Amino acid sequence: MNGLFISFEGIDGAGKSTHIAALAQAFEAQGREVTRTREPGGTPLAEALRTLVLHEAMDPLTESLLVFAARRDHIQRVISPALAQGRVVVCDRFSDATFAYQGGGRDFDWGVLAQLEAWVQARNDGTAAGGAALLQPDLTLWFDLPAAVAAQRLAGARVPDKFEAQPGAFFEKVSAAYARRCAQNPERFARIDAQESPQSVWLEVLSTVRARGLL
Ligand code: TMP
C-alpha cells in the first residue's frame, strides 16, 4: 500500500488539533498504520529547535533556517521512512507554514524560502510517484478563518508563545500567504471553512478526504 502524506495548516486558533486526532483515528479504523506528527518538531532534534523558534527572538532568516533544519531532520528520520512503509503520515503543519509565517507574517523573501524548500524537500530516493521533484503532502487541509475570530478563540486559553503573542495584523498577513500558497497549489490544497461548528468542520474534513479517494 502506498504511503499517504496529509498536512494540516492554518493560523493559531484555527482549531486543527481535534480534527487531526479524529482523522488519524478514521484511518486507523480502516486498518491503516498512522504516524501522527507535527512541525516544527517530530524528532528530538526538531523538538529542540522548536523550543528555540517558539521562544527566542531572532531575525526571519535565522527563523527560516531553523524551521527548515528541523524539517530536514523530520523528513529524514520520520516522514520518509513512514511513507516508505506505506503508513499514513498526518502532520500538524509543514512547509506551507513557513511560507505563511516567515514569508507572510515576517515579510521574509518568498524566493529564499522556495530555495530552502528545494534543498530540504528534494527527493533523493528516485521513487517519487509521478516523478515529483519535491516531497510535498498529498493533501493539505487549510483551516481558514478570520484572524479576529482566531484571536478570540485563543484569548486566555494559555500562555501565548512568540507567534501567538503577535498582533492581529501579523495573522492577517499569515492568512494572506496561506491563500497565496493555496492558489499556487490548487491540486494539493483544500480550504476548510474553520468558522463553522466543530461538527461541521469535521464533516467537511471527512468529505474532502473521501472525495479524493483517500479514505
Ligand atoms: P503549533 O504547533 O501550536 O501550531 O505552533 C507552531 C508555531 O510555529 C505556530 O505559531 C506556527 C509557527 N511556525 C512557523 O512560524 N514556521 C513554520 O515553518 C512552522 C512549521 C510553524
Side-chain angles (χ1 to χ4, degrees):
M1 196 172 272
N2 289 333
L4 179 62
F5 184 13
I6 299 179
S7 64
F8 280 71
E9 296 284 357
I11 58 176
D12 293 270
K16 295 175 272 114
S17 306
T18 50
H19 301 294
I20 292 173
L23 187 63
Q25 278 170 10
F27 277 108
E28 281 166 352
Q30 290 204 340
R32 296 292 302 257
E33 303 270 359
V34 177
T35 296
R36 212 181 121 189
T37 187
R38 68 171 182 182
E39 290 213 344
T43 70
L45 173 61
E47 290 289 336
L49 293 173
R50 174 190 177 91
T51 302
L52 294 173
V53 168
L54 264 56
H55 300 289
E56 302 290 333
M58 58 188 75
D59 86 297
L61 174 57
T62 308
E63 208 168 80
S64 303
L65 290 168
L66 291 186
V67 291
F68 269 116
R71 182 161 302 129
R72 179 68 183 178
D73 194 55
H74 191 207
I75 290 170
Q76 296 285 102
R77 292 180 195 272
V78 174
I79 298 176
S80 292
L83 293 174
Q85 289 166 21
R87 298 176 70 94
V88 180
V89 175
V90 179
C91 193
D92 188 351
R93 305 188 182 282
F94 195 61
S95 49
D96 300 306
T98 314
F99 285 85
Y101 280 78
Q102 282 65 51
R106 302 269 194 239
D107 296 308
F108 187 64
D109 191 317
W110 199 274
V112 172
L113 297 181
Q115 284 182 356
L116 293 172
E117 180 184 46
W119 276 95
V120 167
Q121 291 162 235
R123 293 182 183 270
N124 48 18
D125 59 2
T127 59
L134 298 188
L135 173 72
Q136 294 288 9
D138 299 293
L139 171 64
T140 296
L141 295 161
W142 168 38
F143 280 46
D144 187 24
L145 86 172
V149 178
Q152 267 177 356
R153 286 187 185 177
L154 278 181
R158 56 179 168 175
V159 179
D161 63 35
K162 197 176 89 182
F163 294 104
E164 289 163 348
Q166 292 291 321
F170 176 88
F171 288 104
E172 306 278 0
K173 291 192 288 181
V174 173
S175 274
Y178 271 129
R180 180 176 170 194
R181 207 56 186 160
C182 177
Q184 287 176 342
N185 301 277
E187 70 300 327
R188 172 165 71 81
F189 261 81
R191 179 187 169 276
I192 303 291
D193 182 355
Q195 270 202 96
E196 298 294 325
S197 68
Q199 179 64 13
S200 307
V201 171
W202 169 241
L203 291 177
E204 204 181 333
V205 167
L206 210 50
S207 65
T208 301
V209 177
R210 285 191 176 138
R212 297 184 183 226
L214 303 176
L215 189 65

